[in-house]
């Protein structure tokens, strides 16, 4: 079980704190360095030589009021009334006028409460090592469960990082002939996790007991690069272009097969209601499927086939505040984020981001969308919806940011890139302390299943 890549990962301490020298975006305000572009060298030379002689002579003479007025006017006209020779880059900012200066009556016309602008840190809060992470645009090897445990696949090994304690544990190392791990997705209960493999199998694990529950076989003919849970239904997408709904409670787990993609399925997302499924493929196509018209006997026809993207579509995100709104992102040959009405199939908007779109996440608290990108800047971009004005650009990764996952409270985002680092960003604000207590974990989707395989 201990492959060479696994030994290499162990030697590099996976998911350990990765300290990098941080660049300070602020200027050195305690150093006063003259700014040559803002200086008048001719006047500086005059003031240091001839100008001093003139002042000494004037001091020795008795100057009449009229002559003094004439001298001041002449200095003003000739721009000779400088007080400094050196000019500096850093100047104090003008004070901001928060209150009207007219009278107190206008105060009553101001809004009662103005929401302060949220501070968005420009650097990652924490960076962890992620050696041997697979640098493959079509895979999905990072997920954050509702129990606040993050799962990540590094080569053939799946690691669990507990965000509450910062502790790391190894869940499983896959055999060389079966791996590497190509996809990961937590079940709604936050305890069970599905692991897609390069050999077309899918394993189900209990993270609490580190026990494998079963293996799903026979559905796909090649690697499983995308997974999505919908209660007890685990949807899998493969390189063979198939999308399969697996009921993990029963022995014959394949209950529905969706055929529509001609190339690898690299993105799968169920809507919040669990009624609609969005799929994206390497064939540049997005499909929207509806469970209400699903049948276990025949191949289900898609509800909408969206062909406006010009590159592979991996990034998919259902809007949390508008049920029928779907955001999709195209690869390097497309570079756009598109918004769709899932009821009508209409494209509502298309925004050119200028770079490969690898992942999309909606904020749970604000009308904002976060995108992660590949070539050439490898950045995370925060957009205001629906204006799509850029609120922030977060840089730090040195390779394309292939994977993103959101914390259960919706505030922190984890990003993993081909540079073998896992970074955490406080991009969506801080948790509200007045929120209601978190609901109890959902019933385990296959708790009564006793067999291993």
């Amino acid at each position: 079980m201990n492959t060479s890549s696994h030994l290499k990962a162990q030697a590099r301490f996976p998911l350990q704190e990765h300290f990098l020298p941080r660049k300070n975006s602020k200027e050195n305000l305690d150093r006063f360095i003259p700014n040559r572009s803002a200086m008048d060298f001719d006047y500086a030379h005059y003031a240091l030589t001839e100008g001093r002689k003139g002042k000494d002579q004037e001091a020795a003479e008795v100057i009449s009021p009229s002559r003094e007025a004439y001298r001041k006017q002449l200095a003003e006209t000739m721009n000779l009334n400088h007080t400094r020779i050196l000019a500096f880059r850093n100047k104090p900012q003008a004070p901001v006028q928060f209150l009207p200066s007219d009278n107190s009556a206008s105060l009553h016309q101001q809004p009662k409460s103005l929401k302060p602008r949220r501070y968005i840190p420009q650097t990652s809060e924490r960076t962890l090592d992620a050696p041997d992470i697979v640098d493959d645009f079509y895979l999905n090897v990072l997920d954050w469960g509702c129990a606040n445990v993050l799962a990540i696949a590094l080569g053939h090994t799946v690691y669990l990082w507990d965000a509450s304690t910062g502790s790391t544990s190894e869940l499983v190392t896959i055999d060389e002939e079966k791996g590497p791990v190509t996809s990961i997705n937590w079940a709604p209960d936050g305890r069970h996790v599905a692991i897609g493999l390069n050999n077309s199998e899918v394993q189900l694990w209990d993270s609490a007991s580190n026990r494998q529950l079963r293996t799903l076989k026979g559905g796909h003919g090649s690697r499983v690069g995308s997974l999505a849970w919908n209660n007890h239904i685990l949807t899998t997408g493969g390189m063979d272009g198939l999308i399969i709904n697996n009921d993990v409670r029963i022995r014959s787990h394949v209950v529905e097969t969706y055929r529509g993609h001609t190339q690898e399925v690299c993105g799968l997302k169920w809507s919040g209601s669990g009624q609609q499924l969005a799929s994206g493929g390497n064939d540049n196509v997005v499909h929207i499927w509806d469970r209400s018209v699903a049948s276990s006997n025949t191949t289900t026809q898609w509800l909408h086939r969206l062909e406006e993207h010009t590159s592979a579509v991996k990034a998919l995100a259902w809007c949390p505040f508008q049920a029928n709104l779907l955001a999709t992102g195209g690869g390097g040959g497309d570079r756009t984020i598109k918004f769709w009405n899932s009821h009508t199939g209409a494209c509502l908007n298309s925004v050119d981001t200028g770079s490969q779109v690898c992942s999309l996440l909606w904020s749970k608290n604000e009308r904002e969308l976060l995108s992660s990108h590949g070539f050439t800047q490898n950045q995370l971009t925060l957009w205001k919806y629906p204006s799509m004005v850029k609120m922030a650009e977060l840089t730090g990764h040195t390779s394309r940011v292939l994977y993103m996952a959101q914390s259960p409270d919706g505030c922190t985002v984890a990003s993993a890139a081909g540079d073998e680092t896992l970074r955490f960003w406080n991009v969506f604000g801080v948790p509200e302390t007045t929120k209601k207590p978190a609901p109890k974990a959902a019933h385990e989707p296959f708790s009564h299943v006793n067999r291993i395989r």
Side-chain angles (χ1 to χ4, degrees):
M1 298 287 284
N2 285 332
T3 64
S4 58
S5 61
H6 177 51
L7 292 174
K8 178 184 175 184
Q10 284 185 326
R12 293 185 54 188
F13 303 105
L15 304 188
Q16 297 300 307
E17 196 79 25
H18 185 72
F19 295 99
L20 290 173
R22 294 188 178 181
K23 294 182 179 180
N24 188 0
S25 59
K26 296 182 179 180
E27 298 183 62
N28 293 319
L29 301 181
D30 59 338
R31 298 182 62 198
F32 295 91
I33 304 174
N35 182 9
R36 297 175 65 88
S37 63
M39 293 166 54
D40 188 341
F41 286 97
D42 292 334
Y43 173 74
H45 181 266
Y46 168 79
L48 292 173
T49 56
E50 301 299 327
R52 174 53 57 187
K53 295 179 182 179
K55 289 184 179 180
D56 292 342
Q57 292 177 359
E58 291 176 357
E61 300 175 1
V62 178
I63 303 177
S64 64
S66 58
R67 185 174 180 180
E68 175 65 16
Y70 172 76
R71 186 189 65 79
K72 290 183 178 180
Q73 185 176 1
L74 180 63
E76 183 72 26
T77 304
M78 300 301 293
N79 197 26
L80 298 177
N81 58 346
H82 293 280
T83 58
R84 293 184 179 181
I85 295 177
L86 300 180
F88 302 97
R89 184 179 303 276
N90 296 325
K91 295 182 179 181
Q93 297 181 352
V96 180
Q97 186 73 21
F98 291 102
L99 298 177
S101 56
D102 301 359
N103 49 49
S104 59
S106 61
L107 292 176
H108 300 287
Q109 301 175 359
Q110 299 297 318
K112 293 182 179 181
S113 61
L114 292 176
K115 190 175 182 179
R117 185 174 182 179
R118 189 178 80 253
Y119 170 69
I120 304 173
Q122 300 296 301
T123 57
S124 56
E125 174 195 20
R126 173 179 288 179
T127 301
L128 303 181
D129 277 317
D132 296 325
I133 191 169
V134 180
D135 188 0
D136 191 325
F137 175 80
Y138 304 101
L139 305 186
N140 298 271
V141 298
L142 179 70
D143 195 28
W144 203 331
C146 66
N148 208 19
V149 178
L150 184 141
I152 184 171
L154 303 179
H156 290 69
T157 304
V158 175
Y159 293 94
L160 304 180
W161 184 78
D162 192 327
S164 302
T165 62
S167 60
T168 303
S169 61
E170 178 182 325
L171 179 65
V172 59
T173 297
I174 303 299
D175 293 330
E176 189 76 27
E177 62 271 15
K178 294 183 179 181
V181 178
T182 51
S183 54
I184 287 179
N185 200 234
W186 283 101
D189 59 10
R191 173 174 175 172
H192 299 92
V193 62
I195 302 172
L197 303 180
N198 192 58
N199 73 335
S200 79
E201 296 180 1
V202 178
Q203 294 184 0
L204 305 181
W205 283 77
D206 185 337
S207 64
S209 61
N210 271 42
R211 184 169 63 97
Q212 183 181 350
L213 299 176
R214 68 180 300 186
T215 300
L216 307 180
K217 299 180 180 181
H220 293 281
S222 54
R223 71 179 185 182
V224 179
S226 52
L227 301 167
W229 284 94
N230 187 0
N231 293 323
H232 57 271
I233 297 295
L234 174 62
T235 305
T236 59
M239 183 181 273
D240 53 13
L242 297 180
I243 301 171
I244 298 175
N245 284 345
N246 302 271
D247 190 333
V248 300
R249 304 169 301 177
I250 60 179
R251 181 179 295 274
S252 301
H253 52 85
V254 177
V255 291
E256 284 134 13
T257 300
Y258 299 161
R259 300 177 185 270
H261 290 283
T262 58
Q263 296 187 41
E264 181 167 16
V265 178
C266 48
L268 284 176
K269 285 290 189 306
W270 281 100
S271 64
S273 65
Q275 282 300 115
Q276 292 187 329
L277 172 71
S279 64
N282 193 31
D283 53 6
N284 310 342
V285 174
V286 175
H287 283 115
I288 297 178
W289 314 83
D290 197 311
R291 284 214 71 196
S292 62
V293 296
S295 171
S296 59
N297 299 322
T298 61
T299 301
T300 304
Q301 180 70 17
W302 57 79
L303 181 65
H304 299 294
R305 179 179 172 90
L306 314 173
E307 301 179 288
E308 279 79 353
H309 282 290
T310 58
S311 189
V313 183
K314 173 192 175 185
L316 304 168
W318 289 96
C319 181
F321 54 83
Q322 188 172 333
N324 63 331
L325 179 61
L326 173 69
T328 62
D334 181 88
R335 305 183 302 275
T336 66
I337 298 175
K338 298 183 187 297
F339 299 91
W340 310 88
N341 183 325
S342 66
H343 292 341
T344 65
C347 183
L348 306 176
N349 192 14
S350 180
V351 178
D352 187 352
T353 68
S355 57
Q356 178 187 49
V357 183
C358 302
S359 184
L360 292 171
L361 286 175
W362 286 97
S363 169
K364 297 180 180 180
N365 306 315
E366 303 289 343
R367 292 177 178 259
E368 298 168 1
L369 179 69
L370 182 68
S371 56
S372 73
H373 298 271
F375 311 113
T376 57
Q377 297 182 24
N378 307 312
Q379 83 280 17
L380 283 75
T381 303
L382 182 63
W383 310 83
K384 189 68 177 178
Y385 185 82
S387 66
M388 292 305 286
V389 172
K390 288 185 181 180
M391 299 180 62
E393 285 200 338
L394 311 177
T395 58
H397 282 294
T398 57
S399 182
R400 52 186 181 173
V401 189
L402 296 174
Y403 318 110
M404 284 200 304
Q406 195 171 10
S407 62
D409 61 19
C411 298
T412 304
V413 169
S415 62
D419 58 12
E420 299 189 327
T421 64
L422 176 65
R423 294 173 180 265
F424 296 84
W425 313 83
N426 288 334
V427 65
F428 288 138
V430 295
E432 296 181 12
T433 56
T434 57
K435 282 186 177 180
K436 297 180 181 179
K440 295 182 180 179
H443 182 68
E444 298 176 12
F446 45 98
S447 58
H448 66 284
V449 177
N450 296 321
R451 60 184 179 275
I452 300 297
R453 288 177 174 84

